[in-house]
Amino acid sequence: FFVMNLDRTIVLFDIETTGIDQVEDRIIEIYIKKVIASTGQVIEWHSYFNPEKPSNPKAIEKHGISDSFLLDKPKFVDKAKEVFELIKDSDLGGY
């Protein structure tokens, strides 16, 4: 991954969810790539989450992550502070 002339640290992220309802559905996977502007250092972070509710079958069709696979994963609330610490003070970009 190569980025030239960054003025600010940037975090690029990809998220998978239980569906597309912004209120009811939950995050089940996050992949983060952080590029620190001052050094060019790249930090990658990834986690799956137990959403504690069934995924929409159409979502499972799309991302291929089954409810049974997620049962032993941490809850998002258990990793939220870690995610916040990683992305705070950064510009954000999703893909």
Side-chain angles (χ1 to χ4, degrees):
F1 189 75
F2 181 71
V3 177
M4 290 181 53
N5 301 324
L6 281 180
D7 293 327
R8 291 183 39 91
T9 295
I10 188 166
V11 168
L12 304 168
F13 62 93
D14 182 31
I15 295 175
E16 301 298 343
T17 64
T18 58
I20 60 172
D21 186 305
Q22 294 177 1
V23 175
E24 295 297 321
D25 287 309
R26 300 192 180 151
I27 295 170
I28 59 169
E29 181 182 22
I30 297 179
Y31 170 78
I32 293 172
K33 184 175 276 194
K34 180 175 185 173
V35 182
I36 300 172
S38 61
T39 64
Q41 177 187 7
V42 176
I43 299 168
E44 294 184 71
W45 187 92
H46 174 262
S47 186
Y48 291 103
F49 303 102
N50 180 341
E52 301 182 286
K53 65 174 280 180
S55 291
N56 182 309
K58 289 183 181 181
I60 295 172
E61 235 178 80
K62 180 78 171 167
H63 53 57
I65 303 169
S66 69
D67 292 339
S68 60
F69 173 78
L70 298 169
L71 286 176
D72 66 343
K73 305 304 183 245
K75 298 172 191 159
F76 182 82
V77 69
D78 297 329
K79 297 267 192 166
K81 186 172 182 165
E82 188 176 346
V83 171
F84 173 75
E85 290 299 320
L86 188 59
I87 68 173
K88 72 179 184 179
D89 301 326
S90 301
D91 288 343
L92 301 176
Y95 60 93

